[in-house]
């Protein structure tokens, strides 16, 4: 990344959602708080190891909150932080942009519509 884009808010947001599954996780948590197992069921293609890693990264970036309850069996609930909710709201604008311009996109320009996982951001 060049020095001119290092401080760009858009570049910062993209860095935070880098990763194959982060957008899917944010979309799921945008609808409701979830336990690990429910997230895993909602995104069946993701491995447990990858889900745990992506959740740790999202938590470190301040987008996801992890609340552990002192129960047996252990109960951990993940939810979006205020920052995560704001990112999901910003992603909605990107989805609208993709919907507006995707009809003119073709394979020669390699411009694609937003992934389905982004289209349901709440």
């Amino acid at each position: 990344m060049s020095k001119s884009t290092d401080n760009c808010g858009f570049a910062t947001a993209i860095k935070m959602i880098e990763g194959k599954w982060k957008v899917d996780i944010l979309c799921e948590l945008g609808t409701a708080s979830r336990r690990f197992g429910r997230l895993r069921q909602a995104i069946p293609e993701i491995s447990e190891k990858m889900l745990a890693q992506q959740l740790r990264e999202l938590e470190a970036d301040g987008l996801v909150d992890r609340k552990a309850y002192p129960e047996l069996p252990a109960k951990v609930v993940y939810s979006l932080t205020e920052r995560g909710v704001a990112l999901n709201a910003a992603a909605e604008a990107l989805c609208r942009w993709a919907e507006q311009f995707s009809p003119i996109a073709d394979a020669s320009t390699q411009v694609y519509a937003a992934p389905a996982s982004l289209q349901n951001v709440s």
Side-chain angles (χ1 to χ4, degrees):
M1 210 170 276
S2 70
K3 291 205 184 254
S4 64
T5 59
D6 283 347
N7 294 323
C8 172
F10 184 75
T12 301
I14 294 300
K15 283 181 185 178
M16 287 183 162
I17 60 170
E18 280 183 323
K20 184 174 181 179
W21 302 105
K22 288 183 181 177
V23 171
D24 293 301
I25 294 166
L26 291 171
C27 288
E28 279 301 317
L29 293 177
T31 61
S33 297
R34 302 263 195 261
R35 292 178 68 173
F36 186 90
R38 292 285 184 197
L39 275 173
R40 179 81 170 78
Q41 288 174 348
I43 312 168
E45 299 86 12
I46 192 171
S47 69
E48 287 187 23
K49 179 182 175 184
M50 183 57 68
L51 179 56
Q53 177 185 332
Q54 299 279 275
L55 283 167
R56 279 193 300 272
E57 290 174 12
L58 288 165
E59 185 181 6
D61 286 336
L63 299 173
V64 169
D65 182 52
R66 178 184 186 274
K67 181 157 174 83
Y69 295 90
E71 300 177 4
L72 287 177
K75 178 180 176 182
V76 178
V77 177
Y78 295 92
S79 60
L80 291 181
T81 62
E82 185 177 332
R83 189 176 191 180
V85 171
L87 180 58
N88 270 2
E92 284 184 52
L94 189 57
C95 290
R96 286 192 301 276
W97 176 87
E99 289 168 0
Q100 180 182 353
F101 291 102
S102 64
I104 62 170
D106 63 24
S108 65
T109 61
Q110 295 186 5
V111 176
Y112 301 100
S117 59
L118 258 184
Q119 294 175 1
N120 295 324
V121 175
S122 55

